[in-house]
Each structure stands twice: as structure tokens, then as C-alpha cells.
Amino acid sequence: GEDVEQSLFLSVREGDSSVINCTYTDSSSTYLYWYKQEPGAGLQLLTYIFSNMDMKQDQRLTVLLNKKDKHLSLRIADTQTGDSAIYFCAEDRRDDKIIFGKGTRLHILP
Amino acid sequence: ETGVTQSPTHLIKTRGQQVTLRCSSQSGHNTVSWYQQALGQGPQFIFQYYREEENGRGNFPPRFSGLQFPNYSSELNVNALELDDSALYLCASSLANTYNEQFFGPGTRLTVL
């Protein structure tokens, strides 16, 4: 399809792991990104992965990439209240466009 | 190091008017990308400027135009405003003509009445 797909909402208990999934459109996309947006703020780049990798770990964040299925996931370990935000997946396509998903709103339960 | 700044913060216009939004890139960055983010949606890529030339464009009509200046700051111009142009307009700067390590500004909230 033409759209980057993400589920709209995710609720997780504080201290648990959060897993946010994304399906992207172009198997030849070079980079895949995860951005975080807090209320009233711009976007913050959390992490990105190059298409020749299948995993990247950065402190509490783990990105998994399945190129065959065009599936990307972001795992946040030990989720904290400060992780409450909207998370956007984005792909850097070969036609020089970057396409964002609609975002997943992560809600942290006490 | 100065981050990405945008002006104005908020703007209200009426249908048919024209608007200019401004973006100052992060120090040392020569590439600016513009995005439109409607309420509840992800950002949509409008275009990218690299060394004062347009370097990629999304699915936006020609009434969306831009400029990049020698100091790498940028403007987004929108003519003949429509109600659906109401959105948060984000700019992001980066090094070289890539989307890696993009730093976003806080955005300009445009309301078209």
C-alpha cells in the first residue's frame, strides 16, 4: 500500500515494555525512523536503522526490522511516565520522499 | 549551538489569503525540509531545500512554494489558502541532502477561517 501503517493507541503499565509496530511501503527504503512527539512540541528523532541491519539497540530502545515483511518495531524497556507521547514511524524512500505513519499514542498506566 | 526556530508560533488567516512561514536551521545545517501535520495525523512531507535548490517534493500543489537563503534559513509560502491548509507546519534541518539526524522546530500553527 501507499501508507505507513501503525496502530493508533497503546496502553502499557509503568515498568513494563512497550512494543510499537509499523508496516512501511517500500522494500527499497534506505532508512527507517522512529520519532517522538510530546504535546505541543515538534518531533524528536529517537533512533533510526539502516535497511541492511535487522536490529539496533540504544539504551532502553530496541528497533527490529523485517525487510521481507516491511515491518518495523520499537521496543521501549522499563516504560516510564515520561515516555507518554505519540510515536511516529517513517521511511526514507528511494524517490527522495520521507513518509510518516499517523502515529501511535502511548499511554502509561500507573 | 542554536536549535531550529520557526516564526510565527501561531497565525490566523482567511480563505484566499497568502501566508509566509519562516524557519531558521540549526547552526551548520544546509538542508531544510517542510512538513504539514494536520490534527491527529502524521507529518506529510511538502518539500526539501538543499543549498538553495528544491531537492524533492511531496504531493502538494504548486501554491505551496519555498525558498532557501544563503544562510540556509527558509520560507514556506502558501497562496490562495484553503480551509484544509489549517495545520501545524514543521520545518526540520539536517546536514547534506538527507533526512538522517533531522532536527525539528516547534512548528507554526496555521488556522484558516
Side-chain angles (χ1 to χ4, degrees):
Chain A
E2 282 297 307
D3 292 339
V4 174
E5 303 281 353
Q6 301 178 238
S7 53
L8 293 181
F9 298 101
L10 177 66
S11 288
V12 173
R13 293 212 175 274
E14 191 175 358
D16 287 351
S17 291
S18 305
V19 179
I20 303 172
N21 295 301
C22 168
T23 303
Y24 60 98
T25 69
D26 186 351
S27 58
S28 59
S29 288
T30 51
Y31 290 92
L32 291 306
Y33 306 95
W34 284 104
Y35 284 87
K36 176 182 181 182
Q37 187 174 38
E38 295 181 85
L43 274 72
Q44 173 195 352
L45 177 65
L46 281 178
T47 186
Y48 64 91
I49 187 167
F50 188 52
S51 57
N52 70 350
M53 298 168 64
D54 51 20
M55 187 181 99
K56 181 178 179 182
Q57 189 151 1
D58 183 3
Q59 300 182 337
R60 292 192 297 123
L61 305 178
T62 303
V63 179
L64 295 178
L65 175 60
N66 180 331
K67 280 188 68 177
K68 175 176 164 290
D69 295 336
K70 292 183 281 187
H71 185 264
L72 183 73
S73 69
L74 172 69
R75 178 176 179 267
I76 305 172
D78 186 25
T79 308
Q80 304 297 309
T81 53
D83 296 324
S84 181
I86 302 176
Y87 291 81
F88 293 95
C89 151
E91 63 175 324
D92 187 346
R93 299 199 326 198
R94 289 186 66 192
D95 58 1
D96 290 330
K97 293 179 188 173
I98 181 168
I99 307 295
F100 283 79
K102 288 184 167 59
T104 298
R105 185 179 295 275
L106 178 61
H107 178 61
I108 314 302
L109 301 167
Chain B
E1 187 177 86
T2 309
V4 178
T5 61
Q6 292 186 244
S7 62
T9 309
H10 296 88
L11 201 51
I12 299 174
K13 292 282 190 179
T14 56
R15 263 189 316 175
Q17 285 189 310
Q18 178 266 343
V19 70
T20 298
L21 310 182
R22 295 179 176 83
C23 172
S24 290
S25 56
Q26 181 157 313
S27 176
H29 285 181
N30 57 15
T31 302
V32 173
S33 302
W34 284 93
Y35 300 85
Q36 180 195 67
Q37 186 178 20
L39 203 59
Q41 303 294 314
Q44 285 201 288
F45 173 65
I46 303 175
F47 42 56
Q48 182 186 77
Y49 277 82
Y50 170 60
R51 292 186 175 178
E52 302 177 57
E53 298 283 331
E54 188 179 288
N55 180 52
R57 188 178 180 96
N59 296 327
F60 280 81
R63 59 189 186 83
F64 285 78
S65 63
L67 280 175
Q68 188 178 31
F69 300 99
N71 67 355
Y72 303 130
S73 66
S74 177
E75 284 182 357
L76 164 66
N77 298 291
V78 187
N79 292 324
L81 283 167
E82 300 176 1
L83 297 180
D84 284 349
D85 296 333
S86 294
L88 182 67
Y89 287 85
L90 297 163
C91 85
S93 73
S94 57
L95 272 173
N97 54 342
T98 69
Y99 301 109
N100 294 343
E101 305 286 352
Q102 280 192 108
F103 290 87
F104 278 80
T108 294
R109 171 76 60 191
L110 172 65
T111 302
V112 182
L113 301 175

